[in-house]
């Protein structure tokens, strides 16, 4: 019996040790006011203040101005001197599967999709893993907020926006169950999955059938009244807020045919808030999208052109072209290795700055614009008095990998750790090979 109790105690201690090691302790609630002085401040909405000062207390920004202005400091204020450095709002990454998959090759760690096709009631938030090592690797690059998005099916489910330093999903969410994600039917189909050339062809008959099926589903959801029919549909209950504008419908689509039909879909069903995710050929309908007030989340520009006759730099300049056409544009990272690549969000924006946008316009793609699209811009996405103190200090230009070197980061005023498994390995081998 004694041996049994000893073994049980050992197992409990081992599990406790593993759990403590697995998760960094989230930053403590801000107790004293903080004043960052001397840095170049980029407010996320196009404004820049050199030799700036920004004060925040109780998680909120209380003052922004020039460092030489005589504005009183709160008692016991902690002063951070940041001369020759830069201050940015925390970067916002939309359409990510962060915290839903840890290791692609380990099935037990994958929780990004469910069995079925029409799943608007599936909530990604409750599957979000705050202890993910992939999630913690976002913070050293300035990515502090993310939209957690399900995958698979025709309607994948419901996404939520979280901050990336939390004990659990209840502590993490900023905007809970705010949007439904719909994968628009494809006009094309592959002739053979075994064909190495991956030949594709149009299948308009099946496409029309799938679009009609989708339209009928939303018509049913719009007319759904649980009290009248006597039964409750959790799927239709989840879709219902889309028609009142309380939820955003994110439609994943890229081709001209898809975008043209999405415009008709919005008009016919009178859906207030639609966002096109991907939008590779959205430029052909820029004026129509602008009139319909449909933003576009452009897929990462670090991609190859999709058509043989396109400019080699077509993906690099798409966000610039859509912005210049007057659309609300943000950047999203989906695709191969999308969770790990989400940390490259600032460098995607940097590429856009090299292809037509100013640095501040490019910054806005991953700060205020993304915050607007995700419905969190009243409190996040820009540095303004009264908003959340979610920001970071970088030694240089945060949109350039040579300058993106964070010294401090704050989420709602809480100082958060910039240490990760990767930084520990870097420090370890840096010392090993130091001359």
């Amino acid at each position: 019996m004694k041996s049994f109790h000893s073994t049980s105690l050992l197992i409990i201690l081992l599990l406790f040790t593993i759990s403590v090691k697995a998760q960094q302790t989230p930053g403590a609630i801000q107790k004293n006011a903080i004043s960052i002085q001397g840095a170049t401040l980029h407010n996320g909405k196009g404004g820049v203040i050199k030799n700036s000062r920004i004060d925040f207390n109780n998680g909120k920004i209380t003052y922004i101005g020039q460092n030489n202005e005589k504005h009183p400091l709160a008692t016991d204020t902690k002063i951070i001197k940041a001369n020759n450095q830069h201050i940015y709002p925390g970067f916002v990454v939309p359409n990510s599967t962060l915290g839903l998959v840890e290791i692609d090759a380990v099935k037990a760690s994958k929780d990004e999709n469910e069995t079925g096709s029409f799943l608007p009631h599936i909530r990604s938030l409750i599957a979000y893993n705050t202890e993910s090592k992939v999630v913690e690797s976002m913070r050293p690059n300035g990515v502090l907020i993310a939209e957690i998005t399900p995958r698979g099916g025709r309607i994948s489910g419901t996404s939520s926006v979280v901050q990336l330093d939390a004990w659990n999903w209840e502590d993490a969410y900023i905007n809970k169950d705010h949007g439904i994600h719909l994968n628009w039917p494809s006009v094309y189909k592959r002739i053979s999955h075994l064909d190495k050339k991956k030949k594709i062809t149009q299948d308009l008959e099946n496409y029309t059938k799938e679009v009609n099926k989708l339209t009928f589903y939303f018509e049913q959801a719009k007319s759904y009244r649980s009290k009248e029919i006597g039964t409750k549909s959790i799927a239709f209950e989840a879709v219902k807020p889309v028609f009142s504008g309380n939820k955003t419908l994110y439609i994943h689509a890229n081709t001209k045919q898809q975008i043209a039909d999405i415009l008709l879909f919005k008009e016919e069903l009178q859906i207030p808030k639609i966002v096109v995710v991907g939008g590779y050929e959205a430029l052909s309908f820029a004026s129509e999208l602008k009139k319909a007030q449909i933003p576009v989340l452009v897929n990462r520009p670090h991609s190859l052109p999709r058509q043989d006759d396109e400019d080699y730099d077509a993906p690099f300049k798409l966000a610039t072209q859509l912005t210049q056409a007057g659309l609300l544009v943000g950047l999203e990272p989906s695709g191969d290795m999308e969770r790990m690549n989400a940390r490259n969000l600032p460098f995607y924006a940097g590429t856009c700055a090299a292809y037509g946008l100013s640095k501040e316009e490019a910054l806005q793609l991953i700060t205020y614009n993304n915050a607007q699209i995700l419905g969190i811009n009243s409190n996040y996405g820009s540095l303004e008095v009264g908003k959340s103190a979610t920001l970071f200090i970088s030694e240089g230009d945060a949109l350039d990998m040579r300058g993106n070197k964070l010294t401090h980061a704050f989420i709602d005023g809480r100082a958060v750790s910039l240490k990760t498994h990767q930084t520990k390995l870097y420090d370890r081998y840096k010392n090993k090979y130091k001359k």
Side-chain angles (χ1 to χ4, degrees):
M1 181 66 71
K2 184 177 180 180
S3 175
F4 172 78
H5 286 303
S6 298
T7 303
S8 300
L9 181 60
L10 181 62
I11 292 172
I12 292 170
L13 288 173
L14 181 61
L15 291 173
F16 178 76
T17 303
I18 292 172
S19 65
V20 169
K21 186 177 180 181
Q23 181 184 21
Q24 292 184 0
T25 302
I29 294 174
Q30 183 181 7
K31 293 182 179 179
N32 299 101
I34 294 175
S35 178
I36 305 173
Q37 301 177 0
T40 298
L41 184 144
H42 308 261
N43 69 8
K45 296 178 73 174
V48 178
I49 303 176
K50 294 183 177 181
N51 189 26
S52 70
R53 174 179 152 195
I54 179 170
D55 301 346
F56 52 96
N57 197 7
N58 296 319
K60 298 290 184 181
I61 298 171
T62 56
Y63 173 78
I64 294 177
Q66 291 288 338
N67 189 29
N68 53 15
E69 291 180 3
K70 293 183 179 180
H71 186 82
L73 285 171
T75 307
D76 299 326
T77 297
K78 177 183 177 182
I79 296 175
I80 299 175
K81 293 294 184 181
N83 296 340
N84 301 318
Q85 296 184 309
H86 296 258
I87 301 173
Y88 295 89
F91 298 148
V92 181
V93 57
N95 188 35
S96 78
T97 50
L98 287 169
L100 299 182
V101 180
E102 193 67 6
I103 303 172
D104 287 316
V106 179
K107 188 176 180 180
S109 75
K110 301 176 71 173
D111 203 6
E112 63 182 344
N113 58 50
E114 297 289 340
T115 302
S117 184
F118 289 80
L119 304 169
H121 53 291
I122 295 297
R123 303 173 64 211
S124 62
L125 180 61
I126 58 175
Y128 173 62
N129 175 24
T130 57
E131 297 187 10
S132 168
K133 288 186 180 295
V134 182
V135 168
E136 73 176 20
S137 73
M138 300 297 117
R139 299 195 296 264
N141 278 16
V143 179
L144 305 181
I145 296 173
E147 179 191 27
I148 309 305
T149 307
R151 295 283 187 259
R154 180 64 65 216
I155 301 178
S156 303
T158 302
S159 63
S160 295
V161 183
V162 301
Q163 51 85 5
L164 302 182
D165 183 63
W167 288 103
N168 48 50
W169 67 262
E170 290 97 332
D171 295 333
Y173 74 82
I174 293 171
N175 197 0
K176 182 166 61 173
D177 303 330
H178 77 287
I180 290 176
H181 288 257
L182 161 63
N183 299 301
W184 196 261
S186 176
V187 184
Y188 302 96
K189 71 174 182 178
R190 188 180 299 173
I191 294 174
S192 172
H193 289 280
L194 301 177
D195 189 339
K196 292 182 180 179
K197 294 182 179 179
K198 297 182 179 178
K199 293 180 180 178
I200 59 174
T201 184
Q202 283 191 343
D203 188 357
L204 290 176
E205 183 179 349
N206 184 66
Y207 173 74
T208 302
K209 177 182 176 182
E210 289 298 316
V211 171
N212 290 339
K213 182 179 177 181
L214 187 61
T215 303
F216 179 66
Y217 184 87
F218 274 83
E219 286 173 346
Q220 284 184 303
K222 187 174 185 179
S223 60
Y224 163 77
R225 301 286 188 277
S226 59
K227 291 182 180 179
E228 293 178 9
I229 64 177
T231 59
K232 184 175 181 179
S233 167
I234 57 174
F236 288 164
E237 291 278 356
V239 175
K240 200 73 178 175
V242 165
F243 300 103
S244 63
N246 292 326
K247 275 187 182 179
T248 300
L249 183 62
Y250 294 85
I251 304 182
H252 299 242
N254 284 291
T255 67
K256 295 175 184 177
Q257 181 71 61
Q258 289 177 313
I259 294 169
D261 288 335
I262 288 169
L263 288 163
L264 291 174
F265 181 78
K266 183 183 192 301
E267 184 178 356
E268 289 175 2
L269 290 168
Q270 293 296 297
I271 299 175
K273 295 181 181 179
I274 284 180
V275 175
V276 170
V277 182
Y280 190 77
E281 297 180 359
L283 191 61
S284 298
F285 292 91
S287 60
E288 291 85 352
L289 290 168
K290 180 181 178 181
K291 183 178 179 181
Q293 297 183 320
I294 298 178
V296 179
L297 284 172
V298 174
N299 189 228
R300 60 192 190 210
H302 293 180
S303 305
L304 294 173
R306 297 191 178 204
Q307 305 297 332
D308 293 338
D309 58 350
E310 284 185 305
D311 293 344
Y312 75 93
D313 56 0
F316 302 161
K317 59 189 181 183
L318 177 58
T320 299
Q321 292 170 327
L322 292 174
T323 298
Q324 292 173 345
L327 295 178
L328 175 60
V329 180
L331 295 181
E332 59 94 8
S334 64
D336 292 339
M337 298 184 68
E338 62 182 55
R339 286 165 295 285
M340 285 60 78
N341 276 315
R343 71 172 71 95
N344 291 325
L345 188 70
F347 312 136
Y348 299 155
T351 297
C352 295
Y355 282 83
L357 293 180
S358 69
K359 271 294 175 71
E360 300 310 314
E361 288 173 326
L363 173 66
Q364 195 165 328
L365 295 176
I366 60 172
T367 53
Y368 191 67
N369 285 12
N370 275 351
Q372 280 184 280
I373 292 169
L374 298 181
I376 60 170
N377 58 298
S378 63
N379 208 26
Y380 298 91
S382 61
L383 301 179
E384 300 177 70
V385 173
K387 283 193 171 185
S388 168
T390 298
L391 52 94
F392 65 86
I393 305 173
S394 175
E395 289 184 4
D397 180 357
L399 303 190
D400 187 325
M401 64 178 65
R402 296 167 297 182
N404 187 298
K405 298 178 181 179
L406 273 63
T407 59
H408 301 75
F410 302 88
I411 296 178
D412 296 328
R414 299 179 296 108
V416 302
S417 173
L418 296 174
K419 294 292 184 181
T420 71
H421 180 64
Q422 292 173 325
T423 60
K424 290 176 183 176
L425 288 174
Y426 170 76
D427 291 337
R428 177 184 179 186
Y429 288 102
K430 179 180 67 175
N431 292 327
K432 178 180 179 180
Y433 295 108
K434 186 184 293 184
K435 293 182 179 180

